[in-house]
């Protein structure tokens, strides 16, 4: 029986049930974020003072916050910002990380400079660098994306550079070079295709980190403006009511854990599938 | 070996130079005139101009940069705009809680993570491994501030076992400090143990398939001795690396946890400086944190030489 | 010889199974061999014939949980005179024998020693465990052992790490380690394969000398018939997980009865020069291990194979001191 490569890919990917579950959870979260206006039971900003800080119940499945807003609805809308920012960070850091990683790995003369800059950026803890950048750039959703991209690009550079260093010595690249294939084509076709899988794995991890980091920044008041519901801002504004209404803090946090965990599990599944050596070790 | 350490030291200095450069020029990108910021809303244009001269802000930016580098090299990190004291002093005042928090957190993380990672590797694929790996995965994806809030609710507010926040009165006995640090250190320990578990497991798995492990078994040694003396002894280098880096990153990376628990540490200092745009403090803290990271890295390299005889010779 | 001397090690109809991704395989099925005290038995076969797996099973060192002994016996006569089945012995009892009464030298001297412990510590560890010596006297014993295996400056080198030594030196250390508790059985799994030819000869001479002095039995695993001729008293030939022939070294070399043995001998340079048909016999791929099929495993490669060779089970026939697993051995000229 002939099997399409895509089908084979999914079959191998989901051999572990946990990976399948995580993937489905992720799909559900993303769908809810996309379809928020149709899925959410209430407007996320609808204030109802009489129903403030109500515990989870029939009317509000996950309770209400200090303004009587429905927490479930806010989590669903919050997914848009939280995951949107995370996804944007992934796109930006993948693009620049791959570019610089390829250049550093292929052209030895650039390697020293690029890697020292990477070292310098990685000498600072993620959240410290992020908060510094946001402080300098000004707090907005765009600048949070920019700051977190600067934080996570070095990780991609390291991964891509390491793979490039290995791949550039492989016979097929040498053969291409000997046949007179241009450097640009070697980089963009031969090497890029082969670093794609480690980059893809890294992407899922960075997605998870970015969701966590965005929440942390928003919590510190150095992220997106508090009017925009993200999971981080929900916890930040809810924390002073945690004594009387724990659900205000509990559920947005669970949303973060669920999203980040699913991403991580899918990334792990991807890596185990793509890296035969690791797969054996499991 | 000395040559290697020397080369290492050289690249560390370059890294520190790059950090300083980055911090300086990025800060200059920030909106607002530092002098105007220092004097507040009431300042006249004349006042601002005078202050610019005093701080050398009227000089070309490259000259400013070189002057600043010179100051840093001599250990002067400048003057805080809001705190009315040298940045280095402000940081020193906040160092204690951060130091002990990092120390206790990394101890918790290592004491939990290393044995769990070893068990996970020894019983690979069994129930223990699945539970440990699953928990590690979970721990890595919990936001520390959220876990902190939950812990405060549970163990401080509801059960009353620990103080809710803060670091105690000035001059409080050390036991009280420990009580204040217990919850935040546990939170950070749990969150950071995940990486240590993963590294320990991977490193042990690697080593356990080596030939000398079979030799050790062929000598009739107990499995405990094979695992703890022969395998662990060889798996130590990556484990030390990850524990050391965790400690290094906790020095400036515990910002969120310090804020949640109201600990007056360096992270807390940075957050308030960011909210008040106190750039000298932010710059100074970044330099210090990066410096500590770089020094711990060097320390890790030195520790290697004690652990692995192949590096020593 | 094995008939009149009571055996030190007697493996009877051993079967070993491995679980793999593609189901279970049996790399060893029906191995029977014996080693008498003071005797050297060479276990010969090409890579993948199951000879190393057999030797590991004696030590209980099959990779777990994938591999296990699924049939047969591994009888070992302890120093106390009691005979135990190593395949059925609890692991804790087996540990008491490992290193003490049965010791092993492995193929790879470069990787078989622990890089973070000094060679002295590694020898002393075994001595302390099995001989109950204290730290200082165990280290003293380690030094004596290094001296015994002809390592110069033993007093100094006992404190060195493996990476400070050459491959040949490390293999001497491995031998010193194995001999440190005076074992009655030494298993040497291709101990010279990874070494230079000149070093090989020295190590072989060392093992022979120590065997004479201590009087232990040696199970010597090799694929090199030149080594066999030099060191062995008797030879057991394995092919595709089975014993195909056993006999004294003289008989095997003079009158091989199994076509596979014959083919192996024809690959020796001295013999190959004699006949035109030198290398012709070993053709096609080696017998696939583990797939339990019908007939003689060697039949597909055998120049003498006839139809009956492809069906049924071929038994190991024993006559006097010789065994052979071939339907036609009486008809085929050696």
């Amino acid at each position: 029986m002939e099997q399409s490569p895509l089908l084979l890919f999914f079959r191998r990917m989901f051999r572990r049930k946990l990976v399948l579950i995580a993937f489905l959870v992720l799909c559900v979260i993303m769908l809810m974020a996309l379809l928020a206006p149709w899925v959410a039971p209430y407007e996320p900003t609808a204030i109802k003072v009489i129903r403030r800080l109500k515990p989870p119940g029939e009317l509000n499945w996950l309770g209400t916050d200090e303004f009587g807003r429905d927490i479930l609805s806010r989590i669903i809308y919050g997914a848009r910002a939280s995951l949107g920012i995370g996804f944007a960070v992934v796109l930006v850091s993948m693009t620049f990380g791959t570019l610089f990683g390829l250049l550093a790995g292929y052209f030895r003369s650039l390697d020293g400079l690029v890697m020292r800059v990477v070292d310098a950026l990685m000498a600072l803890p993620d959240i410290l660098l992020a908060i510094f950048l946001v402080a300098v750039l000004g707090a907005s959703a765009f600048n949070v994306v920019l700051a977190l991209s600067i934080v996570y690009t070095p990780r991609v550079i390291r991964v891509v550079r390491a793979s490039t260093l290995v791949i550039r010595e492989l016979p097929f690249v040498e053969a291409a070079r000997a046949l007179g294939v241009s450097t640009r084509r070697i980089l963009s076709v031969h090497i890029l295709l082969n670093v794609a899988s480690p980059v893809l794995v890294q992407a899922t991890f960075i997605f998870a980190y970015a969701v966590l980091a965005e929440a942390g920044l928003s919590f510190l008041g150095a992220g997106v403006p508090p009017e925009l519901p993200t999971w981080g801002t929900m916890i930040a504004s809810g924390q002073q009511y945690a004594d009387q209404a724990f659900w205000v803090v509990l559920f947005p946090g669970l949303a973060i854990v669920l999203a980040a965990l699913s991403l991580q599990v899918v990334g792990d599944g991807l890596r185990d599938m793509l890296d035969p050596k690791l797969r054996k070790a499991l | 070996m000395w040559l290697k350490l020397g080369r290492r030291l050289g690249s560390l200095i370059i890294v520190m130079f790059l950090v300083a450069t980055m911090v300086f020029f990025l800060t200059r990108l920030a909106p607002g005139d530092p002098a105007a910021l220092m004097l507040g809303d009431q300042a006249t244009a004349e006042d601002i101009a005078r202050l610019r001269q005093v701080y050398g802000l009227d000089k070309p930016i490259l000259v400013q940069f070189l002057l600043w580098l010179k100051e840093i090299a001599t250990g002067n990190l400048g003057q805080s705009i809001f705190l009315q004291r040298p940045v280095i002093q402000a940081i020193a005042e906040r160092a204690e809680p951060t130091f002990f928090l990092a120390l206790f957190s990394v101890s918790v993380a290592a004491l939990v993570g290393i044995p769990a990672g070893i068990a996970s590797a020894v019983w690979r694929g069994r129930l223990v491994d699945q539970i440990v790996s699953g928990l590690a995965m979970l721990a890595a994806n919990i936001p520390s501030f959220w876990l902190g809030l939950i812990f405060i609710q549970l163990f401080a507010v509801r059960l009353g076992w620990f103080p809710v926040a803060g670091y105690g009165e000035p001059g409080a006995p050390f036991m009280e400090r420990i009580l204040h640090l217990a919850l935040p250190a546990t939170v950070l320990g749990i969150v950071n143990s995940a990486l240590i578990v993963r590294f320990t497991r991977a490193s042990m798995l690697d080593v356990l398939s080596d030939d000398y492990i079979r030799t050790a078994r062929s000598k009739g040694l107990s499995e405990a001795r094979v695992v703890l003396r022969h395998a662990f002894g060889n798996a130590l280098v990556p484990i030390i690396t990850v524990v050391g880096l965790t400690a290094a990153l906790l020095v400036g990376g515990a910002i969120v946890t310090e804020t949640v628990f109201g600990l007056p540490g360096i992270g807390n200092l940075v957050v308030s400086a960011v909210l008040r745009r106190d750039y000298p403090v932010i710059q100074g803290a970044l330099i210090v944190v990066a410096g500590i990271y770089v020094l711990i890295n060097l320390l890790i390299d030195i520790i290697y030489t004690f652990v692995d005889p192949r590096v020593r010779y | 010889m094995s008939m009149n001397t009571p055996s030190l090690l007697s493996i009877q109809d051993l079967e070993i199974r491995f679980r793999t991704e593609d189901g279970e395989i049996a790399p060893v099925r029906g191995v029977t061999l014996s080693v008498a005290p003071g005797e050297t038995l060479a276990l010969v076969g090409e890579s993948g014939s199951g000879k190393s797996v057999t030797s590991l099973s004696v030590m209980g060192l099959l990779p777990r949980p994938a591999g296990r002994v699924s049939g047969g016996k591994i009888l070992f006569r302890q120093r106390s005179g009691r005979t135990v089945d190593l395949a059925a012995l609890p692991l804790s009892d087996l540990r008491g024998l490992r290193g003490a009464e049965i010791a092993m030298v492995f193929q790879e001297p470069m990787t078989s020693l622990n890089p973070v412990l000094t060679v002295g510590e590694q020898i002393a560890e075994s001595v302390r465990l099995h001989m109950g010596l204290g730290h200082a006297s165990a280290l003293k014993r380690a030094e004596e052992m290094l001296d015994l295996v002809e390592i110069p400056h033993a007093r100094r080198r006992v404190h060195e790490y493996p990476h400070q030594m050459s491959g040949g030196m490390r293999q001497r250390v491995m031998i010193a380690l194995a001999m440190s508790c005076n074992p009655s059985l030494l298993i040497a799994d291709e101990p010279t394969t990874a070494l230079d030819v000149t070093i090989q000869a020295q190590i072989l001479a060392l093992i022979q000398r120590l065997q004479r002095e201590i009087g232990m039995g040696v199970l010597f695993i090799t694929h090199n018939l030149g080594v066999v001729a030099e060191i062995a008293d008797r030879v057991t030939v394995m092919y595709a997980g089975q014993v195909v022939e056993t006999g004294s070294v003289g008989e095997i070399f003079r009158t091989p009865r199994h076509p596979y043995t014959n083919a192996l001998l024809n690959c020796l340079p001295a013999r190959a020069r004699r006949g035109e048909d030198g290398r012709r016999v070993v053709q096609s791929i080696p017998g696939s291990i583990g797939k339990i099929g019908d007939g003689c495993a060697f039949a597909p490669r055998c120049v003498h194979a006839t139809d009956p060779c492809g069906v049924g089970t071929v038994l190991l026939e024993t006559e006097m001191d010789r065994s052979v697993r071939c339907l036609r051995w009486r008809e085929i000229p050696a």
Side-chain angles (χ1 to χ4, degrees):
Chain A
M1 259 198 297
E2 190 69 21
Q3 270 187 326
S4 81
L6 198 69
L7 194 71
L8 200 68
F9 176 90
F10 281 109
R11 281 258 306 266
R12 281 171 65 187
M13 173 96 188
F14 296 130
R15 192 149 39 169
R16 276 166 64 208
K17 244 181 244 128
L18 192 65
V19 180
L20 179 65
I21 294 171
F23 183 76
L24 292 179
V25 167
L26 214 55
C27 289
V28 170
I29 295 176
M30 291 201 185
L31 270 179
M32 293 215 310
L34 283 174
L35 304 175
W38 294 277
V39 180
Y42 298 93
E43 280 290 306
T45 48
I47 294 173
K48 226 182 228 166
V49 184
I50 19 164
R51 284 198 54 79
R52 70 190 289 269
L53 298 176
K54 287 280 180 243
E58 220 170 292
L59 279 174
N60 306 92
W61 290 357
L62 301 183
T64 62
D65 68 3
E66 68 273 22
F67 294 110
R69 295 176 295 199
D70 181 49
I71 290 183
L72 177 61
S73 305
R74 285 179 71 74
I75 288 179
I76 292 173
Y77 274 90
R80 293 186 144 187
S82 291
L83 296 180
I85 289 174
F87 190 66
V89 170
V90 168
L91 284 185
V92 177
S93 52
M94 287 304 120
T95 310
F96 288 97
T98 307
L99 180 68
F100 287 116
L102 280 179
L103 294 178
Y106 197 80
F107 301 106
R108 306 300 299 154
S109 52
L110 283 174
D111 192 38
L113 178 66
V114 173
M115 290 322 286
R116 287 297 84 71
V117 173
V118 165
D119 285 344
L121 284 168
M122 289 183 90
L124 291 165
D126 296 359
I127 194 81
L128 185 65
L129 182 56
I131 199 176
F132 166 66
L133 290 169
V134 173
V136 166
L137 299 164
S140 71
F142 179 82
N143 286 339
V144 168
V145 170
L146 191 57
L148 290 179
S149 300
I150 295 175
V151 171
Y152 293 118
T153 299
R155 290 170 187 267
V156 187
I157 294 181
R158 280 206 170 165
V159 170
V160 173
R161 171 185 173 266
S163 306
T164 307
L165 281 179
V166 175
I167 294 164
R168 69 192 292 263
E169 303 300 334
L170 293 183
F172 79 93
V173 173
E174 269 182 41
R177 214 178 291 144
L179 287 171
V181 178
S182 74
T183 303
R184 219 174 92 197
R185 203 177 145 74
I186 289 178
L187 275 176
S188 61
V189 178
H190 296 273
I191 294 184
L192 189 60
L193 279 179
N194 281 284
V195 298
S197 58
V199 168
L200 193 63
V201 172
Q202 204 61 23
T204 60
F205 291 155
I206 286 178
F207 202 153
Y209 296 145
V211 168
L212 288 167
E214 182 279 319
L217 283 178
S218 299
F219 175 79
L220 291 174
V224 298
E227 307 85 67
L228 185 66
T230 73
W231 297 334
T233 55
M234 287 176 74
I235 298 174
S237 59
Q239 65 164 316
Q240 49 182 312
Y241 306 101
D243 292 2
Q244 345 157 18
F246 65 89
W247 52 89
V248 178
V249 165
L250 183 68
F251 293 119
L254 282 181
I256 298 174
V257 174
L258 200 62
L261 192 62
S262 308
L263 280 164
Q264 193 89 234
V265 171
V266 169
D268 248 32
L270 210 56
R271 182 179 56 189
D272 295 348
M273 196 202 72
L274 296 171
D275 185 345
K277 189 176 160 233
L278 253 156
R279 191 152 43 103
K280 230 190 277 166
L282 277 167
Chain B
M1 177 190 120
W2 291 112
L3 189 77
K4 217 176 124 201
L5 278 185
R7 208 178 297 142
R8 196 75 192 155
L9 203 64
S11 93
L12 294 186
I13 291 170
I14 295 174
V15 166
M16 279 313 293
F17 170 76
L18 285 171
V19 170
T21 312
M22 196 170 71
V23 165
F24 179 84
F25 286 101
L26 280 175
T27 310
R28 291 304 151 115
L29 282 179
D33 183 344
L37 215 60
M38 269 187 241
L39 291 169
D41 302 338
Q42 308 294 313
T44 63
E46 257 170 64
D47 289 339
I48 292 175
R50 199 168 56 241
L51 197 72
R52 287 177 66 91
Q53 209 178 348
V54 170
Y55 280 89
L57 291 172
D58 52 343
K59 296 196 177 76
I61 190 140
L62 263 178
V63 176
Q64 286 183 44
F65 176 57
L66 291 175
L67 286 173
W68 187 71
L69 274 186
K70 200 183 118 200
E71 290 296 308
I72 292 181
T74 56
N76 182 7
L77 295 174
Q79 192 81 12
S80 163
I81 298 175
F82 288 91
L83 300 171
Q84 312 297 337
R85 69 192 96 170
V87 169
I88 194 93
Q89 190 190 335
I91 291 174
E93 284 166 6
R94 303 296 194 95
E96 191 197 305
T98 296
F99 172 76
F100 283 115
L101 180 60
L103 185 69
F104 293 157
S105 304
V106 83
S107 307
V108 171
L111 287 177
V112 172
I114 294 175
I118 293 176
S120 193
V122 169
W123 290 288
R124 173 177 72 177
R126 310 274 193 83
L127 191 64
V128 187
D129 182 23
Q130 280 165 2
I131 291 174
V132 167
S133 298
L135 285 178
M137 182 78 95
L138 179 66
N141 290 290
I142 297 178
S144 58
F145 63 92
W146 179 72
L147 190 62
L149 288 172
I150 304 270
F151 271 30
I152 290 175
Q153 276 304 311
L154 270 176
F155 298 111
V157 176
R158 303 274 146 101
L159 295 170
W161 292 350
F162 299 97
V164 172
Y167 195 53
E169 299 293 310
F174 193 63
M175 267 316 291
E176 201 186 318
R177 303 279 192 232
I178 291 183
L179 219 53
H180 275 96
L181 288 170
L183 279 187
T186 309
V187 166
L188 284 176
I190 289 173
V191 171
N192 285 292
S193 66
L195 200 63
I196 296 179
V197 169
R198 288 195 139 198
F199 264 77
T200 307
R201 179 179 184 272
S203 172
M204 285 294 288
L205 278 183
D206 219 31
V207 166
L208 279 171
S209 61
D210 280 344
D211 285 349
Y212 52 79
I213 296 302
R214 192 176 57 186
T215 307
R217 291 206 175 104
S218 81
K219 293 200 292 193
L221 303 180
S222 69
E223 200 55 26
R225 203 173 163 84
V226 171
V227 169
L228 295 180
R229 182 174 161 97
H230 288 264
F232 188 62
N234 279 282
L236 261 179
V237 164
I239 296 174
I240 287 173
T241 311
V242 70
V243 171
L245 290 185
T246 302
L249 289 174
L250 274 172
V251 171
I255 300 180
V256 193
T257 310
E258 282 184 9
T259 307
V260 171
F261 287 93
L263 286 172
I266 292 174
N268 208 306
L269 181 73
V270 171
V271 172
S272 44
V274 163
L275 298 178
R276 290 188 299 217
R277 303 193 158 263
D278 193 344
Y279 289 115
V281 171
I282 306 178
Q283 289 181 335
L286 257 62
I287 300 278
V288 168
V289 167
I292 291 171
Y293 177 88
V294 156
L295 282 180
I296 291 183
N297 261 298
L298 192 65
L299 195 68
I300 294 171
D301 278 354
I302 294 170
I303 293 176
Y304 283 172
T305 62
F306 291 101
V307 172
D308 192 337
R310 283 165 296 186
V311 184
R312 208 177 314 159
Y313 295 95
Chain C
M1 202 190 296
S2 64
M3 290 292 127
N4 15 37
T5 341
S7 291
L8 174 65
L9 176 73
S10 167
I11 298 181
Q12 296 171 1
D13 212 20
L14 182 69
E15 184 185 82
I16 295 170
R17 285 176 185 269
F18 271 76
R19 257 184 295 125
T20 69
E21 277 180 28
D22 317 311
E24 218 170 51
I25 56 164
V28 169
R29 49 210 164 88
V31 165
T32 298
L33 60 82
S34 66
V35 182
E39 172 191 67
T40 298
L41 175 76
L43 186 56
V44 183
E46 55 201 286
S47 39
S49 61
K51 55 192 194 308
S52 279
V53 174
T54 302
S55 69
L56 286 175
S57 73
V58 175
M59 293 291 278
L61 288 175
L62 290 176
R64 277 173 303 156
R68 69 193 162 90
V69 172
S70 52
K73 287 181 176 158
I74 305 172
L75 298 178
F76 175 72
R77 192 158 49 93
Q78 286 179 252
R79 221 167 266 153
S80 61
R82 220 181 96 211
T83 299
V84 288
D85 180 5
L86 298 177
L89 205 61
L91 194 58
S92 52
D93 292 354
L94 189 57
R95 270 194 206 113
L97 297 177
R98 281 182 194 165
E101 299 195 25
I102 311 172
M104 191 154 178
V105 175
F106 298 96
Q107 179 173 356
E108 273 299 330
M110 301 309 280
T111 54
S112 289
L113 287 166
N114 190 329
V116 303
L117 300 175
T118 63
V119 296
E121 283 172 315
Q122 297 187 54
I123 298 172
E125 189 179 29
S126 197
V127 172
R128 279 157 70 189
L129 179 69
H130 296 298
M131 301 175 90
L133 294 183
H135 187 87
S137 34
L139 215 58
K140 188 81 196 128
R141 168 87 183 158
E143 198 184 305
E144 287 165 18
M145 290 312 297
L146 292 188
D147 210 37
L148 187 71
V149 296
E150 295 154 20
I151 291 181
H153 314 294
R155 181 178 295 257
R156 179 164 54 79
R157 306 214 82 167
V158 77
H159 299 295
E160 286 189 359
Y161 290 93
H163 71 270
Q164 293 167 282
M165 296 181 167
S166 67
M169 277 299 156
R170 289 191 214 187
Q171 198 60 302
R172 283 175 194 272
V173 171
M174 275 303 292
I175 293 169
L177 174 61
M179 312 293 273
S180 61
C181 301
N182 299 323
S184 47
L185 175 66
L186 177 74
I187 301 172
D189 185 359
E190 307 244 11
T192 59
T193 306
L195 302 173
D196 291 343
V197 183
T198 47
I199 313 281
Q200 268 189 28
Q202 292 171 16
I203 296 286
L204 286 180
L206 176 67
I207 292 177
Q208 278 182 298
R209 198 199 93 210
L210 292 172
Q211 180 186 24
R212 271 198 308 275
E213 286 170 15
I214 299 175
M216 62 191 174
V218 175
L219 177 60
F220 196 102
I221 290 106
T222 183
H223 65 270
N224 184 338
L225 285 172
V227 170
V228 172
E230 204 162 312
I231 198 168
D233 299 314
R234 291 191 308 124
V235 184
T236 291
V237 182
M238 277 185 77
Y239 182 80
Q242 291 180 318
V243 168
V244 293
E245 184 163 7
T246 294
S248 74
V249 68
E251 289 168 336
I252 291 280
F253 274 78
R254 245 177 290 115
T255 56
R257 286 181 178 165
H258 196 282
Y260 176 65
T261 314
N262 200 16
L264 274 184
L265 289 169
N266 280 341
C267 291
L268 277 180
R271 262 206 171 204
R273 256 180 271 121
R274 273 209 314 253
E276 280 292 290
D277 58 341
R279 310 233 161 106
R280 196 202 306 157
V281 200
V282 182
Q283 34 175 254
S284 77
I285 47 151
S288 54
I289 49 147
K291 295 218 184 86
I292 301 161
D294 271 346
C296 170
F298 187 61
R301 293 169 86 191
C302 182
V303 287
H304 304 290
T306 55
D307 286 346
C309 292
V311 287
T313 310
V314 185
L315 295 173
L316 193 64
E317 291 179 44
T318 305
E319 187 176 272
M320 303 289 287
D321 284 350
R322 295 199 71 178
S323 319
V324 61
R325 194 190 294 270
C326 178
L327 290 177
R328 304 189 58 206
W329 69 267
R330 277 171 237 272
E331 315 158 26
I332 304 167

